[in-house]
Structures are given as structure tokens and as C-alpha cells.
Amino acid sequence: MSGPTVDLDPDNAARDLVSLVLTLVELVRQLLERQAVRRLDQDDLTPDQEERLGLALMRLDEAMTELCAHHGLRREDLNLHLGPLGPLLAEDPW
Amino acid sequence: MSATDRGPAAYAPAAGAAATCVFAVRRSGDPGALAGRTGHAGGGPLRLLPLAGSLWAVVQSVPAAEFTQEALRQRLADPLVLENCARSHHAVITAAAEDGPVVPLPLATLFTDERRAVDVLDQQRSHLVGVLDRLTGRAEWAVKVHIGRPAEARAPARSAPRAVGDRTGADAATGTGAGTGAGADADAGAAYLTRVRGRERDRRAWQDATLHVAQQVHDTAAALAVAAVRRTPHGPRITGPERHQVLNAAFLVDDARAEELATAVRALHGAFPGLDVHIDVSGPWVPYSFTEGRRP
């Protein structure tokens, strides 16, 4: 049999769980960013609010990058492909 | 993907027993291009089995023990075996189609014996005749559209050094690195937000553009076809990261119009300035996509 075998290494199971959690966090992060863009487009934010919102999102993005690096994952490793529904997360350029 | 002739759950064929594998149904009883062809490895020669209503089934005797549901489940889980099976299946159907329309049956359509195969296929006669009528003088053509990913889209703004293994190192060009860490500029947040907004806008524009390309190509082909099927585009695992498949479609086309369709679709190559569009037209294929895959 040259087919794929089931990986029973517990370390890998833990890493897969981490990557699933990070995927969900990344999904929420992307939704927040899109929501922020919508708010920006509506022009109902003061410059101060814009600055704080942008800063918060920037920190989130950095934290995400650090978390991925810490767990040996690349940002693009977080994406799940949902068959006919396409990718879960916005890819570049999505 | 599995044997269709469900016997008792514990069906265990006697050693050396044979099952009947059916590849296709057609109108011609003349072996033609099938002569000298082999089917699945380890099976007997290909034969033509007469059905009611002057239809013929292309069949092969195969070792029953290798084609029980359980054995198939195991063997077809092996990508290599699956590939060989699919290739044999396709080669037989392609040969059978050289002399006229065929209704291809799903991979590994099996019956315990020939009489059972004939009984089941005869019950499907009106459906099979209908499909053959629909396919006569027509073939399947595949149209796939890929768009090269723009380089700038492959280097999204990131606010930190990217992990090793990224495709591009063009972060510098996207103005990242501004305001990382503590003690950032006073307007770093607003600048970040502006970048996010730009990225979002690019993403949308790109998505709209690709959808538009896919629709244009599809509609151009569909206007010259009898029927059309759209499938899920292949992901980057198949196309590679540099190309994005936006259309994966099949069309049932009158033989007389095939040339026209291919020309019309290929003519769209230059219709999308600013986008790196690749249109592949291939055919004629055996019309797998238009046989309303009802299983016998």
C-alpha cells in the first residue's frame, strides 16, 4: 500500500489542535478588519478612534504572526479549503 | 466507486470466481477499436454483451475476490491502484467511443454475473437510449480558465517579518514595517487601517474581475453548446500558487459547432486587458459529464 497512513503521533495531534484554534482566531481577525474597513468607509469615526482601531488591529496582526512563528506555522498554513465553498480565509489575493 | 450489485453483506466469492465489470453501453455490436484492447489488469478479454433494444454492453470478466466491496474499498484507497483502475476504465471507454456514442458507466460497475448485468441494464433501457440519442453527433469539450496572480497581490501588507518559505520578499514595496513594536509613529494605527482598506479594495476588485472573466468565457461557450456543466475550480494544490483557476466547465457540443466554439472561446484571450488570462479548450472528450450519471 502506498496510500497515506494515519498519523498517531500525539505531538502532531496537539499541533493540529493549535493550528485549528489559530485558524479560528485568524478568521475572526479578518472579519474584524473587514468590519473596520466598513466603518472607515462610512466616515463615522473620529481621527482618534481611527488611530486606536488601526493600532488594535495592527497589534492583532503582529500577535498572529508571532503565534504562528512560535508554533512553527506559516500564515497560509492556517487556511482550510472547504471544497466547493473555496477557502475559509481570505487568501492573497483573496 | 463501489460494486453496485449488493449481495448479502458477507459475500465471499469462491476462489477463482469471476464477476462482470461493465464499462459502457453503446449501439454498435462490432468490436471495432476494442479489438485487442485490455481492460482491468488481471481480468479476461473485453467482450460485447447483447442487451435488449439492440444495445450492447462493453464488459470484462474480473476476479471476483479482487472486486468485492471490501476489496475495492481497500484497493481504491491506494492512489496508485486507483489511478491505474481509472486509466484502464477511461482507455476502454475511449476505445468504445470511437465507433459512435457511448454511455460510460461509473468506475468499477460490477455484477455477480453476465445475466444479472443484462437484467439490470435492460431495466434501464429507455434511459440509456435517451442518453445515446442526446449524445449522438456531439462530444464534450472542456474549458478551463486560469488567471495569473498579480505579483503585488502575492505580497500582502504584513506588519512583521514573514516566516521562511513565503513566496515573495516584496514586503518592502508594500510599505510594511512602519510602526512595528512600541514607540511607533503617532499615526501608525491610521496608516495601518488605510493599508488594510487598500488591501480589501484590491481583494474585491480582483475577485470581481475574475468572476467577470469566468462568466464571459462561460457564456460565450454556452451560447454555442447544447448543455453546460460548471465544476468547482481546482485549487492551488493542482494549479500551483502562481495561477488561479476561475472556471472549470464542460460543454456538450454538436460536432459541427466544435470548431466555432473553440475559436470563439480562444478569441477571448485578448479581451481582458490588464489581466493575465489563460484559456484552455480541450476535446473532444467522451461526454462523461452529460450522461446523467444514474447508476444501473
Side-chain angles (χ1 to χ4, degrees), chain A residues 76-88:
Chain A
E76 47 266 49
D77 292 337
L78 300 184
N79 213 343
L80 293 177
H81 286 271
L82 304 174
L85 299 177
L88 173 71

Side-chain angles (χ1 to χ4, degrees), chain A residues 11-70:
Chain A
D11 290 349
N12 287 348
R15 204 190 54 215
D16 287 348
L17 189 59
V18 166
S19 111
L20 184 59
V21 170
L22 288 180
T23 295
L24 292 173
V25 174
E26 173 65 8
L27 176 66
V28 172
R29 193 194 67 79
Q30 288 191 2
L31 292 175
L32 285 173
E33 283 202 342
R34 280 186 217 173
Q35 188 58 33
V37 169
R38 262 192 286 269
R39 291 292 304 272
L40 207 56
D41 289 339
Q42 284 168 4
D43 257 344
D44 59 353
L45 295 169
T46 65
D48 184 49
Q49 284 175 319
E50 262 181 47
E51 174 60 23
R52 278 186 299 149
L53 182 59
L55 218 46
L57 290 172
M58 194 166 90
R59 296 270 179 271
L60 262 184
D61 187 48
E62 286 165 10
M64 201 67 214
T65 302
E66 281 162 24
L67 275 171
C68 284
H70 179 75

Side-chain angles (χ1 to χ4, degrees), chain B residues 72-138:
Chain B
L72 275 177
R73 224 196 314 273
Q74 285 190 8
R75 289 173 57 224
L76 297 185
D78 183 336
L80 211 66
V81 177
L82 176 60
E83 183 185 344
N84 287 336
C85 268
R87 283 187 189 283
S88 316
H89 184 78
H90 179 62
V92 171
I93 286 169
T94 306
E98 280 184 33
D99 313 314
V102 300
V103 181
L105 297 187
L107 182 68
T109 300
L110 292 152
F111 300 93
T112 42
D113 58 42
E114 288 186 4
R115 219 190 51 218
R116 176 107 183 99
V118 171
D119 286 351
V120 172
L121 292 169
D122 280 351
Q123 285 169 15
Q124 304 254 334
R125 191 179 67 218
S126 65
H127 165 71
L128 293 166
V129 167
V131 173
L132 285 168
D133 285 344
R134 184 163 180 249
L135 300 181
T136 302
R138 294 168 177 164

Side-chain angles (χ1 to χ4, degrees), chain A residues 2 33 58 76 92-94, chain B residues 78 149 166 179 192 203 244:
Chain A
S2 58
E33 283 202 342
M58 194 166 90
E76 47 266 49
D92 330 328
W94 305 109
Chain B
D78 183 336
R149 290 171 186 263
D166 273 336
Y192 178 82
R203 191 180 67 83
H244 186 81

